[in-house]
Amino acid sequence: MHDDRSLVEGRLERALRQFLRPAQYTDRMPLVLSVWHVPGEPVPVDQALQATYEAFTTGTLWGKPWSTSWFRIEGRVPEEWAGRRVEVVVDPGFTGDGPGFQAEGLLFDAAGVPLKGIHPRNRHLTVGAPARGGEAVHLLLEAAANPAVLHGFEPTSLGDVLTAGDGPVYRFAAADLAVLDEDVWQLVLDVEVLSELMHELPADRSRRHEILRALENMLDALDLHDVSGTAVAARAELADALSRPASASAHRISAAGHAHIDSAWLWPLRETVRKASRTFANVTALARDYPELVFACSQAQQYAWVKEHQPHIWERIKKAVEEGNWAPVGSMWVESDANMPGGEALARQIVHGKRFFQDELGVETEEIWLPDSFGYTAAFPQLAKLAGVRWFLTQKLSWNQTDKMPHHTFWWEGIDGTRVFTHFPPVDTYNSQFHARELAHAERNFADKGRATRSLVPFGWGDGGGGPTREMLEKARRLRSLEGAPRVEIEKPSAFFAAAEEEYGAHAPVWSGELYLELHRATYTTQAKTKQGNRRSEHALREAELWCTTAAVRDPAYAYPYDALDRLWKTVLLHQFHDILPGSSIAWVHREARETYARVLAELEEITVEAVRALGPAPRAVLNASPYERTEVVGDGLVTVPGLGSAPVTAAAGEDVRAERAGEVFLLENSWLRVTVDRDGLLTSVRDRAADREVLGGPGNLLQLHPDHPNAWDAWDIDRHYRRTHTDLTAAESVDLVESGPLRAVVRVTRVFGKSRVTQEIRLTAASRRLDIVTEIDWQESEKVLKAAFPLDVHAERSAAEIQFGDVHRPTHTNTSWDAARFEICAHRWLRVAEDGYGVAVLNDSTYGHDVTRAPGPEGLGTTVRLTLLRAPHSPDPETDLGTHRFTYALLPGAGVGDAVAEGLALNLPLRVTEAPALAPLVIVDNPAVTVESVKLAEDRSGDVVVRLYESRGGRARATLTTGFPVARAEVTDLLERPQREAPADFELRPFQILTLRLRPA
């Protein structure tokens, strides 16, 4: 038989493109348009209903960037269309870009009730199926002129309403009434499903050729000049090919509708409120026509927005949840970044998310759903289990540059040994369209064949939202059991996870430690002020809750600010979304984030001051929000302050700190350290006096400037080739000894490079073995990355970096591709390298990006630790990080893990000097290996005190908790403060174990 496949396929492709798809709508008639251009930010529909509209014609330009226009759409169904399926079809000027990245709209009826969102792949609203002749059409379209921002990572001013300009960006193409020919529409779907499947089957499979001939017969039965009249006959030629069932061994796909809606990215937060409304309106409308639909939707914040702004849609969501069409998933307030949020913040992401779904929808979510975050902390498994979460889902690791994850379904083991059943969909997308290419890839790619038979496919338009479409649901019906394709079942993610765990849980492999994404490593650094705002806010919340709880326990008249703290926590959690905290959003998002953090910190300061005032009038005292006792310089003396308590300000002199200039170098010394600073302002020696050893293996605090041109993903990526070129910033404009004791010695160093200027104060204080580098930099570079290097005379096989509720070890060598891929790593307040018996930690107050390398030297192998301080990418924010930055990092010689934990907290929680009484701590733990993470009042407003603590050194720890108030009852709770068992008088924690205690004051 002659091979004419290419001829038949070419014939089919032309017929589909030129004749079938255009024939889906038969008759059309334009609707009458009028418009009201909103003069400022978006307004509610009530205001739009009262506005004055002016005539508008299709083909007219409209919409300056980020503006909103309301269009009245009016007409009447022709009498001759009665009994047919009539739809309004709207195109406000869609471009070739995908949904969510351009013009979008929400249709309302004449009374202002939201009906359905529109985007390029979902342009219709059914007004009659069947229609009534003469029926009036009165609609309102809220149209958002959102510009497409990301074009090849080129710099653009479109990313902020302040710089985007006033020129219109869209031309309104059409608003028509049209008759949908359902036979033709169904034929198109039949053809698409079969032709897509055919192209995925091997040429030696009979099934491929059978489909080809069925499609050929379909074309023979079809009159291309009368598609409507011959569509039924054409469909009949495909019926047999579509009816053949899948094989018994076909891969099983659990499909869940989805719409990944970034809570901010290439649009501001306020636009996400509308994106969620459009998408959720689409889904609830779609469920009426497709009762099998299950829509998996995460991010409690987006539900809360819709509840506030679109109560009609909110009621439809609640109904869909009750009827099984809607599955709340994810258990988190937002799909946050999973590396940089602090321990308590990550716990609160889950607490606030789960509580919202319980309180508002009566649903106990059982999974963490993070398909798009940029790597996953090894603290997650324990946090998940403590919150009653059974399962974890991500997809992002399919983006790895170098290494392929060896499993798709596995047990993920955290740093404390807790395991959570995890799935990583082999379809490698969270935006599936039910294309046969995607499903075939899922089956071929699935790494757990032989033991497991099923995987999950999230389907629907995402990133900017949109969700499932009717075409996707129709394809799913055809793919439920179709020979040559995986079996497709639309069901809740929980049904998939339960079945997968039952089938494979006993045999599934284990992945231990972090899920490191071998991509987007620069997100630990980009938009430094956003990251600093997050770090400051997390610690300010910690401090506010501590002193508010102290005030509430000690003064019954004090009103604990539940509502304010709840609101502020949710604001901080929102800004931990995985394109805000990582720095990968447009300029508008980060400008607003900086302003928001400033307001959050100001309000938290007011709350804290009020709480401290409630403790009673007193002379000046020093308050310590860290759980560890500290002795620090305060004013003219040293003060020792208990952890979580306070002490009176004293003027007692401490040990002398000595500093002098000796020729061209400066010598700084206290009882712990002897530091030498050369004429270029570099650390040439840091001698640990207690250990009698040199800490440095080369010049320390060496600023290094690299070119920074990633291959793609400008704000997201730092690619390995950046290391091939760098400039050491050794020249100093000035080096001065500005303070020489007796409590503090300071050398000030000023450097000028490029268009930037940096001033650093190298500070050594009494009673401290911490050497602080207080930095102010006017950063004006372009596409550069700035590092601060500490070559350490420590032979370290691995580094230890603080993460949430513990630390994680990473090799310093590059033996394997997995090791080499970790050339940029994330750490929280500290990173430590050590050899047997001795370690050095590098601390920071707002830096997350680091790198650690081995450094051969004349005396042997050392280890270089570098902090990644600043970047300057151009996309999506062309002025990323330009401006003045102030931050501190520090060197801590002779540091054990416990020292790093305590000093990291001290650096991030400065002592507070204020008018307050000297107070015994509210709680005391007698083992320093156990760190108190938070002290607060219970969320149920019972007045119970909640204390969260954890073992922080990686070993076993037995401890006793003592309270500064009488306790009537003590219970161990889960993460959501639900009692589990009575708390013992003393307790033993395994390595990195988290424990939450609930204490009822007597």
Side-chain angles (χ1 to χ4, degrees):
M1 182 175 179
H2 297 297
D3 185 357
D4 63 348
R5 286 176 298 158
S6 62
L7 292 174
V8 177
E9 290 168 6
R11 178 188 176 195
L12 175 68
E13 192 278 329
R14 183 185 178 189
L16 191 61
R17 180 188 72 251
Q18 188 172 339
F19 295 97
L20 270 73
R21 289 195 180 108
Q24 292 176 97
Y25 285 106
T26 54
D27 301 307
R28 281 180 180 262
M29 62 168 286
L31 292 160
V32 177
L33 295 174
S34 55
V35 67
W36 173 54
H37 300 295
V38 180
E41 282 292 281
V43 299
V45 66
D46 292 347
Q47 190 171 337
L49 288 169
Q50 303 303 317
T52 300
Y53 288 72
E54 59 187 41
F56 185 87
T57 58
T58 56
T60 302
L61 288 168
W62 70 279
K64 67 180 182 180
W66 304 113
S67 68
T68 299
S69 295
W70 287 82
F71 293 91
R72 288 195 186 278
I73 302 174
E74 298 173 304
R76 194 172 296 276
V77 177
E79 293 290 347
E80 60 270 25
W81 290 5
R84 303 166 75 182
R85 186 183 185 103
V86 177
E87 298 182 343
V88 172
V89 183
V90 180
D91 181 353
F94 295 133
T95 66
D97 297 308
F101 299 96
Q102 54 167 303
E104 299 173 79
L106 180 60
L107 286 165
F108 296 78
D109 68 12
V113 175
L115 301 173
K116 184 175 177 294
I118 63 159
H119 60 72
R121 306 302 178 95
N122 198 345
R123 307 181 182 201
H124 71 278
L125 173 72
T126 300
V127 296
R132 297 193 304 273
E135 180 179 356
V137 175
H138 295 289
L139 299 172
L140 266 181
L141 172 67
E142 181 194 30
N146 300 333
V149 175
L150 207 61
H151 296 287
F153 308 104
E154 293 293 327
T156 176
S157 60
L158 288 173
D160 195 331
V161 69
L162 300 181
T163 60
D166 294 327
V169 290
Y170 294 108
R171 187 181 298 276
F172 204 107
D176 296 334
L177 267 183
V179 176
L180 178 69
D181 189 320
E182 295 190 70
D183 291 328
V184 176
W185 181 63
Q186 294 284 0
L187 174 61
V188 169
L189 290 160
D190 291 346
V191 171
E192 287 179 347
V193 168
L194 285 172
S195 62
E196 289 166 7
L197 174 59
M198 176 183 70
H199 284 99
E200 293 304 313
L201 294 171
D204 60 359
R205 287 278 298 277
S206 297
R207 175 65 166 158
R208 175 168 182 150
H209 296 272
E210 290 166 358
I211 293 173
L212 179 72
R213 297 312 160 190
L215 290 167
E216 186 176 34
N217 293 340
M218 180 275 300
L219 289 169
D220 292 341
L222 189 68
D223 182 346
L224 296 182
H225 292 282
D226 184 15
V227 173
S228 179
T230 56
V232 173
R235 289 196 72 198
E237 296 295 334
L238 301 178
D240 180 64
L242 284 166
S243 66
R244 297 194 181 185
S247 68
S249 62
H251 184 67
R252 287 179 287 177
I253 283 176
S254 296
H258 189 46
H260 181 73
I261 307 175
D262 288 302
S263 288
W265 180 27
L266 304 180
W267 48 85
L269 284 167
R270 65 91 154 144
E271 194 56 32
T272 313
V273 177
R274 301 200 292 178
K275 284 178 176 287
S277 298
R278 298 173 196 128
T279 300
F280 296 173
N282 279 352
V283 172
T284 52
L286 191 63
R288 291 194 291 266
D289 296 327
Y290 294 89
E292 71 269 30
L293 173 62
V294 175
F295 180 67
C297 186
S298 65
Q299 305 197 75
Q301 171 68 87
Q302 293 180 6
Y303 288 73
W305 280 332
V306 171
K307 179 185 177 185
E308 177 184 357
H309 295 279
Q310 296 289 355
H312 289 284
I313 299 174
W314 174 244
E315 291 303 317
R316 285 155 54 179
I317 290 171
K318 291 197 294 183
K319 183 173 183 289
V321 171
E322 292 174 2
E323 295 179 351
N325 298 117
W326 191 293
V329 297
S331 306
M332 297 177 71
W333 189 249
V334 295
E335 289 184 16
S336 73
D337 178 78
N339 287 309
M340 291 175 285
E344 188 62 21
L346 201 56
R348 301 294 178 95
Q349 285 283 358
I350 302 172
V351 167
H352 282 291
K354 283 192 67 101
R355 184 170 287 124
F356 182 92
F357 293 131
Q358 287 173 343
D359 294 348
E360 299 290 346
L361 299 170
V363 174
E364 175 89 15
T365 51
E366 294 186 287
E367 66 289 297
I368 301 292
W369 182 280
L370 288 175
D372 192 36
S373 297
F374 310 145
Y376 304 91
T377 172
F380 250 133
Q382 183 180 191
L383 287 169
K385 185 174 182 179
L386 288 173
V389 168
R390 299 172 57 189
W391 307 306
F392 189 94
L393 179 136
T394 178
Q395 175 274 323
K396 197 66 175 183
L397 297 181
S398 66
W399 288 43
N400 273 5
Q401 280 181 324
T402 307
D403 298 292
K404 181 179 173 63
M405 283 290 291
H407 323 298
H408 284 103
T409 304
F410 54 96
W411 290 100
W412 180 21
E413 182 180 275
I415 53 173
D416 72 313
T418 297
R419 294 177 179 178
V420 61
F421 194 69
T422 298
H423 184 62
F424 166 30
V427 70
D428 287 349
T429 181
Y430 47 78
N431 297 324
S432 173
Q433 303 166 42
F434 282 128
H435 195 290
R437 179 181 60 251
E438 298 166 339
L439 304 187
H441 175 74
E443 182 167 14
R444 287 193 293 262
N445 189 40
F446 188 49
D448 302 288
K449 300 182 188 76
R451 295 281 189 183
T453 64
R454 65 184 71 234
S455 66
L456 182 69
V457 170
F459 68 93
W461 295 106
D463 285 320
T469 63
R470 61 185 179 182
E471 288 78 13
M472 294 175 190
L473 271 297
E474 289 288 345
K475 285 189 172 184
R477 286 177 172 178
R478 290 160 173 80
L479 290 163
R480 182 179 175 87
S481 179
L482 183 62
E483 183 186 357
R487 295 177 182 270
V488 173
E489 183 75 27
I490 295 177
E491 59 185 355
K492 293 181 178 180
S494 59
F496 159 77
F497 272 111
E501 187 174 353
E502 181 180 2
E503 172 188 65
Y504 192 39
H507 307 286
V510 176
W511 180 273
S512 181
E514 67 180 333
L515 295 171
Y516 178 91
L517 178 64
E518 296 177 358
L519 195 74
H520 293 359
R521 303 167 182 90
T523 57
Y524 313 145
T525 302
T526 308
Q527 296 288 359
K529 288 184 179 178
T530 298
K531 291 169 172 58
Q532 187 173 73
N534 175 73
R535 180 78 70 86
R536 297 280 190 276
S537 297
E538 287 179 345
H539 288 80
L541 280 160
R542 175 196 190 111
E543 186 176 11
E545 286 186 334
L546 170 66
W547 302 126
C548 289
T549 303
T550 304
V553 169
R554 304 201 187 278
D555 180 5
Y558 173 76
Y560 189 86
Y562 290 103
D563 291 335
L565 289 171
D566 180 80
R567 173 175 45 78
L568 291 166
W569 260 117
K570 287 174 178 174
T571 300
V572 173
L573 299 180
L574 167 60
H575 286 78
Q576 291 176 341
F577 178 75
H578 67 252
D579 277 305
I580 304 179
L581 182 53
S584 46
S585 289
I586 55 174
W588 189 351
V589 173
H590 292 288
R591 170 173 59 81
E592 288 191 333
R594 293 190 293 271
E595 296 166 356
T596 298
Y597 284 129
R599 290 194 299 270
V600 166
L601 289 167
E603 187 171 354
L604 286 170
E605 179 65 16
E606 292 177 4
I607 289 171
T608 300
V609 168
E610 183 64 28
V612 171
R613 186 179 296 121
L615 295 173
R620 291 175 70 76
V622 183
L623 279 66
N624 177 16
S626 165
Y628 292 101
E629 180 180 280
R630 298 154 68 173
T631 300
E632 291 189 13
V633 174
V634 176
D636 297 327
L638 285 174
V639 177
T640 298
V641 194
L644 309 178
S646 65
V649 173
T650 63
E655 62 182 289
D656 287 346
V657 176
R658 298 167 296 283
E660 63 178 351
R661 180 165 188 162
E664 294 188 337
V665 302
F666 298 91
L667 302 176
L668 290 68
E669 188 173 16
N670 67 6
S671 59
W672 291 99
L673 301 177
R674 184 181 298 116
V675 178
T676 304
V677 183
D678 71 7
R679 63 181 180 180
D680 292 317
L682 299 173
L683 300 175
T684 54
S685 174
V686 175
R687 186 121 193 127
D688 185 336
R689 299 180 67 183
D692 192 24
R693 62 177 286 168
E694 176 60 45
V695 173
L696 298 179
N701 192 37
L702 174 63
L703 298 181
Q704 297 180 307
L705 194 66
H706 296 260
D708 186 17
H709 301 280
N711 292 345
W713 298 105
D714 218 33
W716 294 257
D717 282 358
I718 183 168
D719 285 344
R720 191 192 310 270
H721 58 252
Y722 89 92
R723 290 186 174 183
R724 297 176 64 87
T725 307
H726 76 272
T727 301
D728 290 340
L729 304 179
T730 54
E733 183 180 76
S734 63
V735 183
D736 300 296
L737 181 64
V738 296
E739 192 170 348
S740 58
L743 295 173
R744 186 186 298 105
V746 180
V747 173
R748 182 178 295 146
V749 182
T750 301
R751 305 183 192 281
V752 177
F753 57 93
K755 297 179 180 179
S756 302
R757 182 182 189 88
V758 58
T759 299
Q760 295 191 303
E761 291 191 351
I762 301 169
R763 295 182 182 178
L764 184 65
T765 61
S768 175
R769 58 181 172 184
R770 203 176 80 202
L771 184 65
D772 291 353
I773 293 114
V774 181
T775 303
E776 179 175 306
I777 178 168
D778 179 14
W779 178 247
Q780 299 295 336
E781 300 309 297
S782 172
E783 296 180 304
K784 299 288 194 300
V785 59
L786 182 67
K787 297 264 187 173
F790 290 91
L792 304 175
D793 189 14
V794 175
H795 184 125
E797 290 285 331
R798 60 186 188 174
S799 65
E802 186 186 39
I803 63 170
Q804 302 88 346
F805 298 105
D807 60 70
V808 64
H809 292 104
R810 303 179 180 103
T812 60
H813 56 70
T814 55
N815 284 357
T816 71
S817 58
W818 297 87
D819 302 329
R822 288 178 168 88
F823 60 82
E824 184 80 3
I825 56 177
C826 183
H828 282 212
R829 291 169 295 224
W830 56 267
L831 185 146
R832 178 178 177 266
V833 294
E835 58 192 40
D836 186 29
Y838 192 79
V840 179
V842 176
L843 316 173
N844 72 83
D845 72 355
S846 57
T847 299
Y848 295 91
H850 297 73
D851 68 73
V852 184
T853 55
R854 309 185 114 186
E859 302 299 325
L861 186 66
T863 308
T864 297
V865 176
R866 297 199 303 171
L867 301 96
T868 313
L869 302 179
L870 291 168
R871 296 184 70 230
H874 289 169
S875 174
D877 178 358
E879 297 187 349
T880 301
D881 281 330
L882 298 184
T884 301
H885 300 264
R886 298 175 182 86
F887 50 83
T888 299
Y889 52 91
L891 189 68
L892 186 66
V897 172
D899 301 311
V901 170
E903 290 295 337
L905 282 163
L907 184 61
N908 284 270
L909 287 166
L911 294 174
R912 176 180 292 272
V913 181
T914 185
E915 293 183 0
L919 296 170
L922 210 57
V923 295
I924 298 172
V925 179
D926 64 355
N927 187 332
V930 178
T931 299
V932 175
E933 177 71 9
S934 65
V935 179
K936 60 187 289 291
L937 288 192
E939 294 293 324
D940 63 7
R941 308 194 179 198
S942 61
D944 291 357
V945 175
V946 173
V947 180
R948 190 154 18 250
L949 43 81
Y950 69 104
E951 196 289 317
S952 58
R953 299 186 182 184
R956 303 275 171 169
R958 180 175 292 276
T960 300
L961 180 78
T962 304
T963 64
F965 59 95
V967 173
R969 186 175 69 240
E971 296 170 305
V972 175
T973 77
D974 68 0
L975 212 61
L976 277 74
E977 303 169 8
R978 297 177 293 201
Q980 295 179 318
R981 63 185 183 275
E982 185 178 349
D986 55 9
F987 49 87
E988 184 171 342
L989 300 180
R990 67 180 182 273
F992 300 131
Q993 182 182 352
I994 302 166
L995 184 67
T996 303
L997 301 173
R998 182 173 180 137
L999 312 173
R1000 170 63 56 85

